Amino acid sequence: MAEPRYQLDGRVALITGPARGIGAETARQLAAKGMKLGLAGLEPERIEALAADLPVETAWVECDVTDWDALRAAVGGTVDKLGGIDVVIANAGIAPWGPIETIEPEAFERTIEVNLLGVWRTIRTALPHVVERKGYVLPIASLAAAIHAPVIGHYNAAKAGVEGFADALRMEMRPYGVGVGCGYFGFIDTDMVRAPEEDDILGDDELANARTSFGRPAPVSKAGEAIVRGIERRARRVYHPPWILAPLLVPAPFQRLVEIGMARRGVFDVIRRLNERARARAQSPV
């Protein structure tokens, strides 16, 4: 007999990174299920507009997930206005592109700071309230936690760290009746995925072509549906598109296939040229 679904109506979810993409879509879909929402992120004008359009009670605050004080304010404001937190979705993330040899160190380290340490800080801050309600925690990782493409080594490292963090937390929270999932998404049609198309780092047709290796971007609505379904089931894995379950479960052969595919598409030569271009720019007089 299947376990009853976790009822969302009237519960409270805290979402980081709700201004765009998966965060905004998740907020809309959870609101349609009757969840009250705490929204914490950058771009306050967009978050305020989103909150005004939602058919449920909301609390929103401008918040950088690398800032402990800002997260404490976001969690405290949500609890004060909405009465508690049942679900925390640590979604905020960034994805600059660049080969490890020549990416700006600040971009590499900022990615780790936001995508991994931001998840840790968000969940650590909200966790006492989620434990109190025997709720559910969902850090958002990526297919990049299991299958590692070039030019996003920093992103791969952060998302693999999120998966490891979630696996440990799941066991630690079991005595308290708190569910812990992990979100894995492939290419989803969001601003984050589209942004590299406007960046000169992907100016080469071959590298732009390599980005299609995982298929065309899926609608962001599908990611939102997967998250809603995952919360209702208190699932350990939340993912879309469906095919990515196989590489999540058995990553090694898929990693090898990715490497073979990148070689056949000429991606490694493109990366060499990107590094050469970056070194030339660094040596050029200002």
Side-chain angles (χ1 to χ4, degrees):
M1 182 176 179
E3 293 184 7
R5 291 199 170 188
Y6 186 65
Q7 296 300 311
L8 305 186
D9 187 28
R11 297 189 190 273
V12 179
L14 174 67
I15 306 172
T16 62
R20 300 171 182 266
I22 291 174
E25 181 63 22
T26 298
R28 295 186 188 100
Q29 294 200 26
L30 290 177
K33 292 282 190 175
M35 287 197 89
K36 296 180 283 187
L37 299 172
L39 306 175
L42 303 177
E43 299 184 274
E45 297 85 0
R46 294 182 67 95
I47 298 174
E48 183 178 21
L50 173 64
D53 286 343
L54 297 176
V56 293
E57 190 176 7
T58 63
W60 72 270
V61 64
E62 184 176 5
C63 176
D64 183 333
V65 297
T66 68
D67 184 332
W68 282 105
D69 289 337
L71 280 166
R72 292 185 187 105
V75 169
T78 299
V79 171
D80 290 345
K81 184 172 182 179
L82 304 180
I85 298 174
D86 298 278
V87 174
V88 57
I89 303 170
N91 166 75
I94 59 174
W97 289 62
I100 291 169
E101 182 181 353
T102 53
I103 189 173
E104 290 294 332
E106 294 81 4
F108 189 106
E109 292 174 12
R110 176 69 177 172
T111 303
I112 302 296
E113 188 78 14
V114 173
N115 293 11
L116 177 55
L117 297 182
V119 166
W120 136 252
R121 289 168 181 152
T122 298
I123 292 173
R124 174 62 178 261
T125 306
L127 197 57
H129 303 284
V130 178
V131 168
E132 182 179 351
R133 294 189 170 202
K134 293 183 169 59
Y136 180 74
V137 177
L138 183 62
I140 302 299
S142 167
L143 176 59
I147 303 298
H148 309 132
V151 199
I152 54 169
H154 46 305
Y155 188 82
N156 296 336
K159 293 304 186 178
V162 169
E163 181 182 49
F165 172 84
D167 286 343
L169 184 64
R170 184 178 304 113
M171 291 182 281
E172 293 177 11
M173 288 293 102
R174 187 169 180 176
Y176 303 102
V178 173
V180 178
C182 189
Y184 304 91
F185 297 101
F187 271 176
I188 303 295
D189 189 17
T190 65
D191 291 346
M192 180 185 290
V193 166
R194 290 189 295 269
E197 297 173 2
E198 303 166 3
D199 193 317
D200 66 358
I201 196 169
L202 293 183
D204 298 88
D205 290 341
E206 301 100 319
L207 189 55
N209 183 48
R211 296 180 64 248
T212 67
S213 297
F214 297 113
R216 303 181 69 85
V220 69
S221 60
K222 295 297 184 180
E225 290 169 7
I227 289 174
V228 171
R229 189 165 56 248
I231 296 171
E232 289 178 329
R233 297 173 178 175
R234 296 165 66 91
R236 66 182 292 137
R237 293 186 189 88
V238 174
Y239 56 91
H240 190 82
W243 64 262
I244 72 174
L245 181 59
L248 291 179
L249 294 176
V250 189
F254 290 92
Q255 179 67 39
R256 181 59 178 151
L257 287 173
V258 167
E259 293 171 10
I260 292 170
M262 294 287 181
R264 288 177 176 172
R265 288 169 179 261
V267 173
F268 302 139
D269 289 335
V270 177
I271 293 170
R272 176 178 51 79
R273 294 200 298 274
L274 289 172
N275 281 325
E276 291 170 354
R277 185 189 310 167
R279 286 194 295 270
R281 282 199 301 262
Q283 293 169 5
S284 297
V286 177

